[in-house]
Amino acid sequence: MLELRGLSKTYSKKGAKAVDELSLSVSAGQIFGFLGPNGAGKTTTIKMLCGILKPDAGQALIDGKDINLEAKEAKRLFCYVPDSPELFVRLKAQEYLNFLGDVYQVPATERQTRIARYAALFKLEKVLHAPISSFSHGMKQKLLLLGSLLPDPQNWILDEPLVGLDPEAAYILKDIMRERAAAGKTVFFSTHVMEVAERLCDRLAVISAGKIVFSGSLDELKTRMGRGQGGTEDSLEKLFLELVDSDVAPPQGSGAQGRAP
């Protein structure tokens, strides 16, 4: 479970808040989409959730562990895929994965089984002994995903994970996300691809100018926007655009509690 309580972050003393008193709850067994326009505060929020940035105020909890007060314990409870595949390019892919396995104390047998499975799915098995510096952007993204799955995390946090992936890899990633949610694990990801969020997410939140303007299921969003339950006019893309462009956003919905019907 992931929980954000009143998170705020300002990058300059005189500037507007990048994230403004943001609260959100994501339960286990969910695929939760985090949506918003560029500059809305998505990556800043995710970095505070993962302990990369410290908030000016508020708390970020991973399965009840405060990421700032109980950092070591909390960081063992999740894996994070950033929005840019920055890796140790002087290492070979296998060396990088073994490093992650050591950090997360993944037993040798489990490590080998998971590497073999996900390397085959992402078609990386033939390049595991190649230097990461020789990888394309898409290959680096796949390696990041593989590494994040190596510890079999209870909470999987991904920032724009589909960027740079070919259609086959994107399809596989979505299947893995569904598989993990079905196993009772938490999947939290940001995306600009509304069609993916609409088809994949159990629940979602929309952030605009650092504030959550909606949190709930797609049906709940339709209700708040005064829509019916069918037709192309009710697509998430159209509702999202109306929501973030409106002068007065609908009030924030309740936090995510359980899977959407």
Side-chain angles (χ1 to χ4, degrees):
M1 179 176 180
L2 309 175
E3 189 174 2
L4 308 178
R5 299 177 180 173
L7 279 188
S8 293
K9 182 69 178 179
T10 304
Y11 286 111
S12 65
K13 293 182 179 179
K14 296 182 180 180
K17 289 183 178 180
V19 174
D20 190 0
E21 296 185 9
L22 188 151
S23 296
L24 195 63
S25 179
V26 184
S27 296
Q30 289 185 343
I31 300 176
F32 195 98
F34 193 45
L35 315 178
N38 291 337
K42 298 189 300 298
T43 294
T44 296
T45 299
I46 290 173
K47 287 184 175 180
M48 288 191 288
L49 173 61
C50 295
I52 299 168
L53 292 175
K54 287 191 175 181
D56 299 330
Q59 285 182 294
L61 305 174
I62 312 287
D63 289 343
K65 302 289 185 182
D66 188 301
I67 192 65
N68 291 304
L69 299 180
E70 305 167 274
K72 186 175 180 180
E73 295 84 353
K75 288 180 179 181
R76 291 191 179 278
L77 300 173
F78 74 92
C79 281
Y80 162 62
V81 177
D83 59 346
S84 178
E86 301 295 335
L87 293 164
F88 301 105
V89 294
R90 293 186 180 181
L91 294 179
K92 295 178 180 178
Q94 185 71 56
E95 293 172 335
Y96 169 72
L97 295 172
N98 282 331
F99 167 71
L100 291 178
D102 291 342
V103 168
Y104 282 93
Q105 300 177 346
V106 182
T109 302
E110 293 179 17
R111 185 183 309 189
Q112 292 168 6
T113 299
R114 290 171 191 162
I115 290 175
R117 183 198 174 198
Y118 293 117
L121 284 173
F122 288 119
K123 292 184 168 51
L124 293 176
E125 66 269 42
K126 294 182 179 180
V127 297
L128 288 178
H129 296 287
I132 298 173
S133 59
S134 68
F135 283 21
S136 67
H137 179 96
M139 291 169 67
K140 290 177 180 177
Q141 183 72 1
K142 293 175 188 179
L143 183 60
L144 267 179
L145 291 166
L146 196 167
S148 71
L149 290 163
L150 190 55
D152 189 26
Q154 176 62 34
N155 301 281
W156 199 23
I157 302 170
L158 310 101
D159 193 359
E160 295 288 353
L162 296 167
V163 174
L165 293 182
D166 56 72
E168 182 180 10
Y171 183 88
I172 290 167
L173 172 59
K174 288 180 281 187
D175 267 357
I176 294 171
M177 293 167 78
R178 293 186 184 100
E179 175 186 279
R180 299 192 68 77
K185 300 179 185 297
T186 303
V187 178
F188 179 92
F189 78 109
S190 69
T191 184
H192 284 108
V193 186
M194 295 297 116
E195 293 87 354
V196 169
E198 184 168 0
R199 295 177 183 176
L200 195 62
C201 294
D202 300 305
R203 300 181 75 82
L204 54 89
V206 179
I207 182 174
S208 181
K211 291 180 177 289
I212 295 291
V213 295
F214 174 80
S215 178
S217 69
L218 178 58
D219 283 344
E220 289 168 343
L221 177 57
K222 290 178 180 180
T223 298
R224 287 185 180 277
M225 299 297 287
R227 295 297 208 279
Q229 297 302 310
T232 57
E233 71 275 14
D234 299 320
S235 71
L236 177 57
E237 181 178 35
K238 183 173 179 61
L239 294 172
F240 170 82
L241 291 173
E242 291 184 12
L243 181 62
V244 299
D245 287 342
S246 62
D247 292 330
V248 181
Q252 179 176 339
S254 59
Q257 304 292 334
R259 293 178 68 85

